[in-house]
Amino acid sequence: MAGNSGYREVLKNKEYRKLLTAAIINRLGDSIDSIASAWIVYELTSNAMWSAIVFGINKVPSVIIAPFAGAWVEGKKKKGIMVITDLIRAICVAFIATGVLMGFLKAWMIVSATFIISTAEAFRLPAGSSVTPKILGKENLSHGISLTTAMSTVTELVGMAIAGGIIAIIGSAGAIYIDMATFILSAAIISTIKIPNDEESISNNTIQEYFGTLKMGFKYVFVNKVFLFLVVLASLLNGILVPINSLMAPLANEVIKGGAEIVSVISVSFTVGMLLGTVIYPKIRKIIKKEMFVLGSGIGIGIYYVLTVLVSPMYGNALFRYGFTVMASLLLGGVIALINNFINVEFVSSIDEKYLSRASSIMNAMGGAVTPVMSFVISIVAAYLPTSAIFFGTGIIDLIIFLYLVFSHMVVDILYEDTNSSEHEYAE
């Protein structure tokens, strides 16, 4: 009852409802676009290399540009940045769709447009991350973040389910025009939101002030032990999840002894698990301690990797194969949703509001940097080891790390330490 009451409370907030609607519309367009774009790149080049290049280019701004973008965003009106970046993304996807429709699109154009889109997102994400607490206040953050994540996950599921039909009916270009329309609609909705204290600072308008703001942001976050722990935790989780994200097809075929249908079973079950985990997070947060989110989730992921390999002799039974895959993927999705929500809520709760944009950018850059590195490592290891060995080894490494955190009491010491002194030491 308390959980439902919390969701009702945040939904009473008119400005939050607008923000939620814009996020849902954005996610629907992106989920359709992700499938349409993958087809376009492959159809245009017939070369997997270009797919890898586009993937890599998409990650560059979040790692390199985002920390600097966050410092710039800090002193600006967040609503204006969100509207402008949505419109920039709309123009870029419209260019790609028009290029497909008129036949002039080249691979390098997709790479360039992708870089511009990702750069715009590097500015939008830190702006957006500081808006939710302004609208809801910290007391309603758990339910607000959980509801946004849950609705976005449902929308992504719907978008991926209907993408194939949309592409079949109106083509890849038509699907990407839908993404363009969602960006424009999102910008229109956000332009009507009233954000408390969303005023442009008189400072940060010169090069010296900008670098001063950037330096102060780095100083602030790097003496905040909770922030540093959350960055390390996010990086660790991103790295550990690379095998399941990059080797899902080999897992389905070599380990589980299935085909493409197993990939679908894993993906759908995982997404449903994430949805359930997100919805129950606020209630779970009230009854278990902080450290249990970290330790339980980390150990749960390790057990998934190990068990998936250990039960391989039983995959010959079709009932067991599908039943175990569904249950294991549901639990994995739920576990990841819980730890993701925990990281998001703890992050916003532990960072002073005036540092949120900068801290968010640094968090995204540092947490996300491990993914392309680990993808490269896994691609090399996969050339020499079977998928089962990679999964089993990843699970063992995961369990060793998180069991160490259990017995060292490191998690408890950091999460319950008062870090407010850093706010005063580097107050602006």
Side-chain angles (χ1 to χ4, degrees), residues 81-94 113 116-117 119-120 183:
I81 292 170
M82 294 169 73
V83 170
I84 291 170
T85 50
D86 272 353
L87 293 177
I88 289 172
R89 294 191 292 175
I91 292 169
C92 289
V93 295
I116 295 171
I117 291 170
T119 300
F183 282 136

Side-chain angles (χ1 to χ4, degrees), residues 176-188:
I176 293 181
Y177 275 128
I178 290 177
D179 193 26
M180 175 203 72
T182 62
F183 282 136
I184 294 173
L185 188 54
S186 171

Side-chain angles (χ1 to χ4, degrees), residues 45-317:
T45 65
S46 298
N47 191 331
M49 178 194 72
W50 280 107
S51 297
I53 290 173
V54 171
F55 176 81
I57 289 294
N58 191 46
K59 297 293 181 182
V60 169
S62 64
V63 175
I64 298 176
I65 298 175
F68 302 96
W72 182 85
V73 164
E74 202 72 66
K76 303 295 185 294
K77 288 186 177 181
K78 310 302 184 292
K79 181 167 74 174
I81 292 170
M82 294 169 73
V83 170
I84 291 170
T85 50
D86 272 353
L87 293 177
I88 289 172
R89 294 191 292 175
I91 292 169
C92 289
V93 295
F95 172 79
I96 293 174
T98 304
V100 172
L101 207 60
M102 300 186 68
F104 65 76
L105 192 67
K106 305 295 181 184
W108 67 267
M109 295 179 182
I110 298 178
V111 171
S112 300
T114 298
F115 184 82
I116 295 171
I117 291 170
S118 297
T119 300
E121 289 173 349
F123 285 87
R124 192 193 192 282
L125 287 174
S129 68
S130 62
V131 167
T132 303
K134 285 178 180 290
I135 290 176
L136 287 179
K138 289 190 176 182
E139 66 277 6
N140 291 317
L141 267 182
S142 289
H143 287 90
I145 290 175
S146 293
L147 185 58
T148 301
T149 305
M151 295 304 295
S152 296
T153 303
V154 171
T155 305
E156 183 177 9
L157 204 57
V158 171
M160 292 172 69
I162 65 176
I166 290 175
I167 293 171
I169 296 171
I170 60 177
S172 297
I176 293 181
Y177 275 128
I178 290 177
D179 193 26
M180 175 203 72
T182 62
F183 282 136
I184 294 173
L185 188 54
S186 171
I189 293 171
I190 290 170
S191 68
T192 68
I193 298 177
K194 296 176 182 177
I195 303 173
N197 303 316
D198 188 28
E199 300 298 329
E200 184 166 353
S201 170
I202 59 174
S203 62
N204 199 24
N205 290 322
T206 67
I207 295 295
Q208 292 83 358
E209 288 172 335
Y210 164 77
F211 280 105
T213 300
L214 181 66
K215 181 181 178 182
M216 194 68 71
F218 274 99
K219 276 188 174 182
Y220 172 79
V221 297
F222 282 113
V223 297
N224 187 318
K225 290 185 179 180
V226 174
F227 173 85
L228 291 176
F229 175 75
L230 293 176
V231 168
V232 171
L233 179 61
S235 300
L236 180 60
L237 291 170
N238 284 338
I240 286 172
L241 292 174
V242 165
I244 187 66
N245 289 326
S246 61
L247 300 177
M248 192 176 294
L251 171 69
N253 183 255
E254 299 172 21
V255 180
I256 304 179
K257 311 299 182 187
E261 79 285 353
I262 291 294
V263 175
S264 296
V265 168
I266 294 173
S267 299
V268 172
S269 300
F270 178 83
T271 305
V272 172
M274 286 200 70
L275 173 61
L276 295 175
T278 299
V279 170
I280 67 172
Y281 170 76
K283 192 168 187 177
I284 297 293
R285 180 180 171 84
K286 293 179 180 179
I287 60 177
I288 70 172
K289 295 180 178 179
K290 292 180 179 181
E291 62 269 24
M292 291 309 300
F293 282 102
V294 179
L295 306 176
S297 299
I299 292 172
I301 294 170
I303 291 174
Y304 171 86
Y305 274 108
V306 172
L307 268 185
T308 300
V309 176
L310 287 181
V311 301
S312 56
M314 302 175 68
Y315 288 134
N317 182 304

Side-chain angles (χ1 to χ4, degrees), residues 269 322-332:
S269 300
Y322 287 102
F324 178 83
T325 302
V326 167
M327 290 306 300
S329 300
L330 273 171
L331 291 173
L332 179 65

